[in-house]
Amino acid sequence: MPIRCKRCRAALSEIYIPYARLNLCPDCFLKFYTSKVKRTVEEFKMFRDDDVVGVAVSGGKDSMALLHALKYGFPKLSLKALHVNLGIANYSAHCQAKVEKLVESLDVELHIFDLQKEIGITIGDFKRTPFKDKLCSVCGTIKRHVFEELAIRAKVKVLATGHNLDDIVAIMFNNFLYGQWEQLVRLKPVLPPLAEGMAYKVKPLIKCPENENLLYCLYGNVPFREMECPFSSGTGVKKKARIIETAAGDNPYFKHQLLNRFLELIPLLERNKPQKSFKTCQICGFPSLDQICAYCKRLSLVWRAMGKA
Ligand code: Q46
Ligand code: ZN
């Protein structure tokens, strides 16, 4: 027998939310999702209604759902989309086209940093360096830095990223397993700016499982990339944390429970954390633990490999 939506009790249910034991129709699911994002923003005081907020959009389902949900959940917010074009053949043009389509439909200002145009490299150029086929870690370092730069350019006070519940618990679990306490602390929902003039980092989707982000895009007609990055190794952190998926199969609350316990642990870790003093990178001027930051080190490596340095 068809099941009715538990919220409106009129339409037929198409979506089941196991941890909330909720059967929802598409319209009620979209409302359920945006109000969850709103509640998360409010719970962790991520930003105020009248702030200028940048959203790091890659073109993937998570960040595209985030931009769309913030636009509808916080109509007074001044939203800006920030995108990095990584110069990966076909893939990057595809991602940028999806981002352009979404910002146009939402009437959101878009700021793009094109690696090829601005610094003369693409992520693929790192194949000539010792990173060879392991491009994701260097790609992560480049993106983190460039998003900081874009946030400054776009004059945003807060930078929101699309980290979802599954990513966060998998990374937290791995950091926990290997005793990487500092990295674990960096997963908290709100990170203060590293230096004056830089943005706060917030994770409004920290409580949204990735399948809900996908459903939000599908039911909400939110465009998102349909291609896989050709450099994806497929050995992401989630694959390493398979134990979480196994446990979650028997217990629908498991990921939320893990997240909540980690969030309780973070203040304790912070209290005991040794204070690290940041220097200023001698090349780019960004905060860095060394004289030269990780981003500038990698750039000089790739430029040297390309005969440009
Ligand atoms: S873009 Fe970059 Fe990802 Fe491609 S190289 Fe890896 S990290 S997989 S989201
Ligand atoms: Zn630097």
Side-chain angles (χ1 to χ4, degrees):
M1 201 176 106
I3 301 170
R4 294 221 170 262
C5 169
K6 217 171 170 179
R7 286 271 159 96
C8 68
R9 305 205 176 265
L12 289 182
S13 157
E14 290 188 28
I15 299 143
Y16 180 62
I17 310 289
Y19 56 86
R21 294 201 196 158
L22 261 184
N23 287 294
L24 295 173
C25 69
D27 280 354
C28 289
F29 168 73
L30 294 175
K31 285 184 208 142
F32 164 86
Y33 181 92
T34 37
S35 52
K36 181 155 64 165
V37 174
K38 264 193 100 159
R39 275 201 314 277
T40 308
V41 167
E42 284 157 6
E43 179 186 346
F44 296 104
K45 298 187 175 62
M46 292 184 173
F47 48 77
R48 291 196 323 232
D49 264 13
D50 55 353
D51 273 336
V52 184
V53 175
V55 181
V57 277
S58 63
K61 61 181 183 343
D62 303 308
S63 56
M64 300 290 259
L66 172 63
L67 180 67
H68 192 276
L70 290 182
K71 178 76 185 180
Y72 283 94
F74 297 88
K76 280 197 246 149
L77 206 63
S78 169
L79 266 182
K80 299 187 182 185
L82 314 181
H83 177 69
V84 182
N85 186 309
L86 301 166
I88 300 171
N90 302 323
Y91 174 77
S92 292
H94 171 76
C95 293
Q96 188 173 321
K98 296 285 178 182
V99 171
E100 285 168 342
K101 191 173 172 197
L102 180 62
V103 296
E104 205 190 318
S105 72
L106 297 177
D107 194 21
V108 166
E109 192 178 301
L110 173 63
H111 294 256
I112 297 178
F113 191 108
D114 187 312
L115 292 188
Q116 176 77 72
K117 287 185 196 150
E118 304 220 19
I119 46 178
I121 62 151
T122 69
I123 288 300
D125 292 329
F126 281 94
K127 284 192 168 187
R128 306 188 210 177
T129 70
F131 287 99
K132 294 215 167 92
D133 289 328
K134 298 209 168 70
L135 296 182
C136 288
S137 83
V138 68
C139 182
T141 307
I142 301 289
K143 282 191 288 195
R144 267 192 300 279
H145 180 102
V146 170
F147 273 124
E148 292 273 14
E149 216 166 304
L150 267 180
I152 295 171
R153 266 192 213 176
K155 299 190 175 62
V156 303
K157 187 178 155 199
V158 179
L159 176 62
T161 55
H163 294 92
N164 64 46
L165 173 69
D166 303 65
D167 291 336
I168 295 279
V169 291
I171 305 169
M172 281 181 165
F173 183 77
N174 267 301
N175 289 335
F176 179 79
L177 212 58
Y178 295 106
Q180 293 162 335
W181 308 117
E182 275 177 47
Q183 275 111 304
L184 205 153
V185 169
R186 292 203 53 81
L187 290 164
K188 63 185 190 171
V190 177
L191 279 175
L194 278 176
E196 218 187 301
M198 294 177 100
Y200 281 84
K201 313 274 180 20
V202 300
K203 303 178 183 74
L205 302 189
I206 197 166
K207 295 191 177 181
C208 297
E210 67 174 348
N211 70 322
E212 286 179 25
N213 298 338
L214 176 64
L215 289 172
Y216 183 79
C217 289
L218 295 173
Y219 284 112
N221 287 322
V222 180
F224 64 97
R225 70 168 165 81
E226 290 134 23
M227 272 175 88
E228 266 303 306
C229 171
F231 301 141
S232 165
S233 60
T235 54
V237 94
K238 265 181 279 172
K239 291 240 163 72
K240 286 189 214 143
R242 250 191 225 125
I243 188 166
I244 296 179
E245 295 305 325
T246 312
D250 295 329
N251 171 3
Y253 313 104
F254 186 69
K255 289 179 188 170
H256 290 85
Q257 287 171 325
L258 259 186
L259 178 73
N260 291 338
R261 294 299 85 74
F262 280 130
L263 292 178
E264 284 165 11
L265 190 64
I266 285 175
L268 302 176
L269 291 171
E270 276 192 307
R271 231 171 286 149
N272 297 313
K273 162 175 119 179
Q275 285 300 318
K276 285 206 171 158
S277 59
F278 279 96
K279 305 176 184 79
T280 300
C281 169
Q282 289 180 351
I283 298 177
C284 69
F286 270 40
S288 165
L289 291 171
D290 288 331
Q291 308 278 25
I292 310 289
C293 75
Y295 170 77
C296 290
K297 280 182 194 162
R298 279 152 187 76
L299 278 196
S300 59
L301 203 66
V302 72
W303 280 330
R304 219 175 306 135
M306 294 165 78
K308 290 187 179 179

